[in-house]
Amino acid sequence: MPAGLRRVSPSDRVELQPCIGLIGMGEMGSMYAKQLCSAGWKRVLACDRPERFAEVKEKWKDVHGITIVPDGHLVSRQADLIIYSVEAEFIDAVVAQFGPSTKVGAVVSGQTSVKAPERAAFEKYLPEDVKIVSIHSLYGPTVSPVGQPLVIIQHRACEVSVALVEDVLRPLGSKFVYMTYDEHDEITANTQAVTHAAFLSMGTAWCASESYPWEQGLYVGGIETVKVNITLRIYANKWHVYAGLAILNPYARVQINQYAQSVTEIFKLMIEGRKDELRERLYQARDKVFPPGQYRPILLSESLLDQFTLVPKPWKLRAPQHLPPRPSTPQANSHLSILAMVDSWAALGILPLAHLSLAATPIFRMWIGVADALFHNEVNLHRAIEAAIHDVSHRSDDLEFTVAARGWSQCVSFGSFKLYEERFKQTAKFFEPRFKEAAVLGSRMIKTILEDVEVREREQNSQSDGTSD
């Protein structure tokens, strides 16, 4: 860091504070505005689409420190740091419109989940005298930013510009992670693409079956809890959050295709009763993805996960009229979604645990946790294989899941945001009556599980350092 560099802080006098510009006041833009104003920054300019000007201005009229302006030109020509919180699909058009108005010497950041189109737009439309330091919060707007990874990408900028971004965002309490544009897209694909594909496919499969399986005595505890809660959490979110990553990230497309292929191949082994081949394939995948002696298991406990089940009381369990009643106690499950996830990572040579401490989202941390709990518990893995071959009670669900996974892969391969939106919203509408309950429970689940993981990691670090009692 250059000697004598003046750092900035929300405690500085107003005239010494940088002017912070926010272009895009959707969920993430609003989260940033709220956090920055709460921290004490008093010169925040923000805008959204012109047709939303009156609505956004009214919403923020009583918040001290923020001024809502009609468009991005008024933000760009005044702000020292400008953050674009725009969907990846539209980043090119928005930067083309407002980028040329950027103040001389300003620092520009992008908050898109896919950096390839953002980088191209910045390099194409921003004046040469503008600095580029992109960012990406690897968590959603409903998750506390404290301790969560926040990526900082120093692209066309000096250390002084990076310091400005750090100082402005430091009050969020996030963990800064430094990488390049290419590293960002590869790592986010490795930690999110297959994860999202799995949950989207689960939701679509349940929608096709016209059932909430946890209300029929299925998916009611342990690993099943994570499946249900995160599926509902994803479908309660905005579709474009996932579409941008899947369609615009070249690494993600390859991974989503491989996931669908792994689902299909494992399902074929199941219905053909080829248990020895299935077992050999899964154990080989385990050893590739979780190399023995090279990582420490997460091992989320069943008792911890059981706290968050959405299952109603036994007397309220019900099945749709077109389906036979199902038992009210948990049954063995093939866990096809998890088996295929690890299998696809093995096929692609991905070691997701390498990214766990670097850039793991809360959802990925839980999903890799349940995969770890399945593959490194011999009893659980044995039960899953036995259920996959011999137990037909989940076979119809596994069939629907296979069809759904292939459908999502084809959707992404077409590169159509419209098709993705329609497919997502159709499933989301089916689950909408359960969103409110799932949101409350899901937030509690994430908080509790992350706290448990942190405690385990501290204990493991203490033991490895030789400082434990």
Side-chain angles (χ1 to χ4, degrees):
M1 189 66 64
L5 171 67
R6 191 185 77 81
R7 307 304 294 250
V8 294
S9 165
S11 60
D12 292 343
R13 298 196 309 271
V14 176
E15 62 270 21
L16 296 179
Q17 291 189 13
C19 180
I20 306 166
L22 303 175
I23 296 179
M25 288 293 281
E27 292 184 348
M28 287 304 294
S30 295
M31 185 276 283
Y32 265 60
K34 179 180 178 181
Q35 293 287 341
L36 294 173
C37 292
S38 297
W41 293 113
K42 301 177 181 64
R43 300 178 61 203
V44 179
L45 289 178
C47 73
D48 205 275
R49 298 189 305 274
E51 64 269 22
R52 293 194 65 220
F53 172 60
E55 173 193 344
V56 176
K57 187 174 182 179
E58 175 67 22
K59 177 181 177 181
W60 292 89
K61 67 178 182 179
D62 296 325
V63 179
H64 182 64
I66 188 170
T67 301
I68 305 299
V69 295
D71 60 49
H73 292 296
L74 295 174
V75 173
S76 296
R77 64 194 294 266
Q78 300 178 70
D80 301 297
L81 170 62
I82 302 158
I83 301 174
Y84 283 82
S85 292
V86 180
E87 299 168 31
E89 181 185 7
F90 305 119
I91 188 68
D92 184 84
V94 176
V95 178
Q97 183 178 8
F98 303 127
S101 298
T102 306
K103 176 181 177 180
V104 174
V107 179
V108 176
S109 291
Q111 169 64 325
T112 60
S113 58
V114 184
K115 294 305 182 187
E118 177 186 298
R119 173 183 181 174
F122 283 171
E123 291 180 344
K124 184 176 181 180
Y125 302 115
L126 292 179
E128 289 296 326
D129 54 29
V130 170
K131 314 303 180 184
I132 301 174
V133 182
S134 274
I135 61 174
H136 183 206
S137 298
L138 297 182
Y139 47 86
T142 61
V143 176
S144 170
V146 178
Q148 297 299 332
L150 192 161
V151 174
I152 295 180
I153 300 172
Q154 180 179 357
H155 181 58
R156 196 175 74 192
C158 61
E159 295 297 327
V160 174
S161 301
V162 175
L164 175 63
V165 174
E166 292 172 339
D167 290 348
V168 168
L169 300 181
R170 187 167 285 110
L172 274 68
S174 297
K175 177 182 67 175
F176 295 151
V177 180
Y178 303 87
M179 58 183 68
T180 66
Y181 276 126
D182 291 335
E183 288 171 341
H184 171 277
D185 281 358
E186 182 175 7
I187 289 175
T188 52
N190 289 353
T191 56
Q192 297 181 46
V194 169
T195 309
H196 294 165
F199 289 113
L200 290 171
S201 300
M202 270 184 267
T204 299
W206 294 334
C207 175
S209 298
E210 298 182 11
S211 67
Y212 303 125
W214 60 94
E215 295 183 358
Q216 304 166 44
L218 300 177
Y219 306 92
V220 297
I223 292 174
E224 313 290 12
T225 299
V226 176
K227 290 182 180 179
V228 171
N229 278 285
I230 298 183
T231 297
L232 293 180
R233 189 178 184 86
I234 283 179
Y235 276 105
N237 212 329
K238 303 295 185 182
W239 67 272
H240 65 78
V241 173
Y242 311 102
L245 169 68
I247 293 174
L248 297 177
N249 188 324
Y251 299 98
R253 284 196 182 198
V254 173
Q255 293 182 28
I256 292 169
N257 178 69
Q258 177 59 53
Y259 183 69
Q261 184 174 336
S262 290
V263 170
T264 303
E265 292 174 358
I266 291 175
F267 184 67
K268 287 179 179 179
L269 292 177
M270 290 167 51
I271 61 176
E272 293 172 6
R274 294 152 64 184
K275 184 164 68 173
D276 291 342
E277 290 181 52
L278 177 61
R279 180 187 293 109
E280 181 180 3
R281 178 167 179 157
L282 295 178
Y283 275 82
Q284 287 180 352
R286 181 192 67 179
D287 292 342
K288 287 182 180 179
V289 175
F290 306 112
Q294 295 186 28
Y295 88 108
R296 291 173 298 191
I298 300 170
L299 297 178
L300 297 178
S301 68
E302 294 277 325
S303 60
L304 178 73
L305 299 177
D306 282 345
Q307 301 175 40
F308 304 101
T309 180
L310 284 166
V311 68
K313 299 298 182 182
W315 57 86
K316 292 185 178 180
L317 287 168
R318 60 188 181 275
Q321 293 182 355
H322 69 287
L323 293 177
R326 290 183 168 180
S328 59
T329 55
Q331 293 177 292
N333 188 339
S334 68
H335 292 303
L336 176 58
S337 58
I338 306 177
L339 301 183
M341 178 181 69
V342 175
D343 184 82
S344 64
W345 280 334
L348 293 165
I350 293 172
L351 300 177
L353 282 168
H355 308 310
L356 194 59
S357 60
L358 181 65
T361 65
I363 289 179
F364 173 74
R365 187 176 288 273
M366 284 187 290
W367 198 221
I368 196 68
V370 295
D372 175 83
L374 176 62
F375 274 81
H376 281 86
N377 183 309
E378 292 290 341
V379 173
N380 285 346
L381 187 55
H382 173 76
R383 291 184 68 203
I385 294 172
E386 289 296 314
I389 299 298
H390 301 297
D391 191 342
V392 298
S393 59
H394 283 77
R395 190 62 54 82
S396 61
D397 289 341
D398 288 336
L399 173 60
E400 292 287 6
F401 180 78
T402 302
V403 173
R406 294 185 68 87
W408 276 110
S409 177
Q410 291 172 343
C411 174
V412 170
S413 69
F414 294 151
S416 170
F417 279 89
K418 185 62 178 176
L419 178 59
Y420 194 105
E421 179 184 10
E422 291 177 356
R423 186 177 177 88
F424 186 98
K425 287 185 174 180
Q426 181 183 35
T427 301
K429 184 177 181 180
F430 174 74
F431 289 113
E432 192 171 1
R434 301 298 186 271
F435 283 163
K436 185 175 181 180
E437 178 188 7
V440 174
L441 210 57
S443 295
R444 282 179 47 221
M445 180 182 70
I446 288 176
K447 182 176 183 294
T448 302
I449 289 176
L450 292 182
E451 288 174 350
D452 180 75
V453 169
E454 288 174 2
V455 169
R456 290 170 182 267
E457 287 180 348
R458 283 199 300 269
E459 290 175 348
Q460 290 174 336
N461 289 332
S462 175
Q463 293 171 1
S464 62
D465 293 341
T467 57
S468 61
D469 293 335

